[in-house]
Amino acid sequence: MKVAVFSTKPYDQTFLTRANEGHSHELTFFEPRLTLETMPLAVGYTAVCIFVNDQLNAQAIEALAAGGTKLIALRCAGFNNVDLEAAEQHGLTVARVPAYSPHAVAEHTVALLLTLNRKIHKAYSRVRDGNLSLDGLLGFDVHGKTVGIVGTGRIGIEVAKLMRGFGCELLAYDLYPNETCREIGVTYTTLPELFAQSDIITLHCPLTPETYHLINPESISQMKPGAVLLNTSRGALIDTTAVIEGLKTGQIGHLGLDVYEEEADLFFEDLSNQVIQDDVFARLLTLPNVLVTGHQAFFTDTAMYNIANTTINNITSFAHNGRVDNQVTLADVVA
Ligand code: NAD
């Protein structure tokens, strides 16, 4: 099958090319994101393969269908960037990689927490500079703290297991509480209660109209003063301006982000020689108790291997039967 692969970096090319051995799809790698503007590149390709910041709104989907595309193969788990209603209307199948390594994202979440708490990022540069003083490096014991997990799906469960290992109390909120979490010792509660009781709040629910700006002035005011907030899910779960206010007053004590609501124009690029135009993002980077990584939580060798293999299998299955196991439909949004 002819596949146009968008938002590709050298590592995507390496893993996808290897996974394609024996499948023989004709993969064409494009560096730009797939948006309405870059849509002409997709004309004539039966499948497009996209990532988290490609934007397939209704207009883009209409153009994609007009160009002859039948399959949208997401090489990620989240699908908030694809208008599924428009895809259904235009007869386009949407496939994703539902699970490639929940461990990768869960472990990165804990890495953000420990780095922020024990100020490893500061210690690293200090020690290299010959400064071995401890002033300003005071942390806290994670043991015994209450962790509030919003969304206890594949990744949330792994975070629960890791934090249980640290000896934390575990609270969670999910539309569909699960037994695995209860067995680990998670107590399900309401969102306001989770915000009020948790020392550490970590977001693992998908971005949907209901979860957009879940963290907003009201929810921030419900939090324990000095709470740690972690987001490795999707940027728009957080109203960033409100969180900056919370950081300025001390209501939020630490912020660890792997995702940012306006990340599409920033992330995955080397901007070190440019002036960052996004003032909200630039402000975040000035705060000593904020740690931002550029959507790298998924980025392990295991995850990349699994993403590439599932993506190629999705494409092969569609080529053979016109169907995919990992199809995403409107029902998944409602479910
Ligand atoms: P999942 O589908 O297994 O779990 C999501 C959970 O959220 C489910 O239990 C679901 O019931 C719950 N949920 C849905 N709506 C909710 C709501 N309104 N309130 C509370 N809970 C709600 O997904 P997952 O594999 O655990 O991934 C979680 C998210 O992590 C994905 O949606 C994706 O956006 C993000 N993600 C980020 C990275 C990264 O590199 N930073 C990598 C993979 C996934």
Side-chain angles (χ1 to χ4, degrees), residues 158-211:
E158 295 310 320
V159 170
K161 288 180 188 166
L162 293 173
M163 297 321 295
R164 169 58 80 219
F166 277 89
C168 293
E169 297 300 319
L170 302 175
L171 294 178
Y173 172 75
D174 196 302
L175 300 178
Y176 305 96
N178 68 65
E179 272 319 300
T180 312
C181 273
R182 286 207 172 98
E183 280 160 19
I184 302 166
V186 170
T187 304
Y188 282 97
T189 183
T190 61
L191 262 186
E193 199 55 30
L194 181 148
F195 291 137
Q197 300 296 330
S198 302
D199 302 293
I200 298 156
I201 297 162
T202 183
L203 308 179
H204 302 290
C205 59
L207 176 62
T208 64
E210 292 72 41
T211 60

Side-chain angles (χ1 to χ4, degrees), residues 77-78 80 96 98 100 105 150-156 173-176 178 204-208 210-211 232-234 258-259 295-299:
N80 52 285
R96 67 170 177 146
Y100 41 85
V105 183
V150 183
T152 52
R154 296 174 187 87
I155 295 168
Y173 172 75
D174 196 302
L175 300 178
Y176 305 96
N178 68 65
H204 302 290
C205 59
L207 176 62
T208 64
E210 292 72 41
T211 60
T232 57
S233 188
R234 283 292 181 266
D258 186 52
V259 286
H295 209 138
Q296 71 172 80
F298 74 98
F299 198 48

Side-chain angles (χ1 to χ4, degrees), residues 19 47 80 83 92-94 124 133 152 178 205 223 227 230 279 310:
N80 52 285
D83 186 323
L92 280 164
T93 299
V94 182
Y124 175 79
S133 94
T152 52
N178 68 65
C205 59
M223 291 176 191
L230 305 169
D279 290 347
T310 306

Side-chain angles (χ1 to χ4, degrees), residues 28-315:
T28 307
F29 295 100
F30 294 108
E31 214 183 313
R33 287 188 287 133
L34 181 58
T35 61
L36 198 53
E37 288 68 39
T38 58
M39 198 55 70
L41 292 171
V43 173
Y45 287 90
T46 317
V48 293
C49 177
I50 63 167
F51 197 45
V52 291
N53 289 326
D54 296 276
Q55 289 302 334
L56 290 187
N57 59 18
Q59 226 183 331
I61 298 253
E62 191 182 343
L64 196 58
T69 297
K70 304 279 179 223
L71 173 69
I72 300 165
L74 285 150
R75 50 181 197 279
C76 53
F79 46 86
N80 52 285
N81 51 335
V82 177
D83 186 323
L84 294 176
E85 203 173 332
E88 211 157 285
Q89 261 171 24
H90 291 282
L92 280 164
T93 299
V94 182
R96 67 170 177 146
V97 184
Y100 41 85
S101 174
H103 307 285
V105 183
E107 288 168 14
H108 191 79
T109 306
V110 177
L112 287 178
L113 170 66
L114 295 181
T115 306
L116 274 170
N117 171 25
R118 304 309 298 268
K119 304 178 175 53
I120 305 296
H121 52 311
K122 290 184 185 181
Y124 175 79
S125 18
R126 269 196 197 186
V127 171
R128 286 173 75 99
D129 203 29
N131 175 359
L132 292 149
S133 94
L134 298 184
D135 281 343
L137 298 184
L138 188 69
F140 58 82
D141 281 20
V142 172
H143 178 90
K145 294 290 182 294
T146 299
V147 179
I149 304 169
V150 183
T152 52
R154 296 174 187 87
I155 295 168
I157 288 175
E158 295 310 320
V159 170
K161 288 180 188 166
L162 293 173
M163 297 321 295
R164 169 58 80 219
F166 277 89
C168 293
E169 297 300 319
L170 302 175
L171 294 178
Y173 172 75
D174 196 302
L175 300 178
Y176 305 96
N178 68 65
E179 272 319 300
T180 312
C181 273
R182 286 207 172 98
E183 280 160 19
I184 302 166
V186 170
T187 304
Y188 282 97
T189 183
T190 61
L191 262 186
E193 199 55 30
L194 181 148
F195 291 137
Q197 300 296 330
S198 302
D199 302 293
I200 298 156
I201 297 162
T202 183
L203 308 179
H204 302 290
C205 59
L207 176 62
T208 64
E210 292 72 41
T211 60
Y212 176 78
H213 283 187
L214 182 82
I215 304 298
N216 54 45
E218 193 192 346
S219 50
I220 293 169
S221 72
Q222 293 166 346
M223 291 176 191
K224 265 191 182 178
V228 179
L229 178 63
L230 305 169
N231 186 10
T232 57
S233 188
R234 283 292 181 266
L237 295 178
I238 286 183
D239 173 349
T240 317
T241 310
V243 164
I244 290 174
E245 279 312 305
L247 285 158
K248 282 163 74 179
T249 61
Q251 178 67 2
I252 297 175
H254 296 86
L255 174 70
L257 297 182
D258 186 52
V259 286
Y260 170 60
E261 56 184 326
E262 301 299 335
E263 71 178 50
D265 292 331
L266 293 166
F267 283 16
F268 307 120
E269 302 303 330
D270 178 1
L271 306 177
S272 52
N273 279 323
Q274 295 181 30
V275 174
I276 288 183
Q277 299 297 318
D278 182 329
D279 290 347
V280 175
F281 187 70
R283 180 73 177 105
L284 271 183
L285 301 186
T286 66
L287 300 170
N289 46 353
V290 172
L291 179 60
V292 182
T293 53
H295 209 138
Q296 71 172 80
F298 74 98
F299 198 48
T300 66
D301 53 356
T302 306
M304 287 299 289
Y305 175 87
N306 291 338
I307 287 171
N309 281 289
T310 306
T311 301
I312 295 294
N313 286 338
N314 284 343
I315 295 167

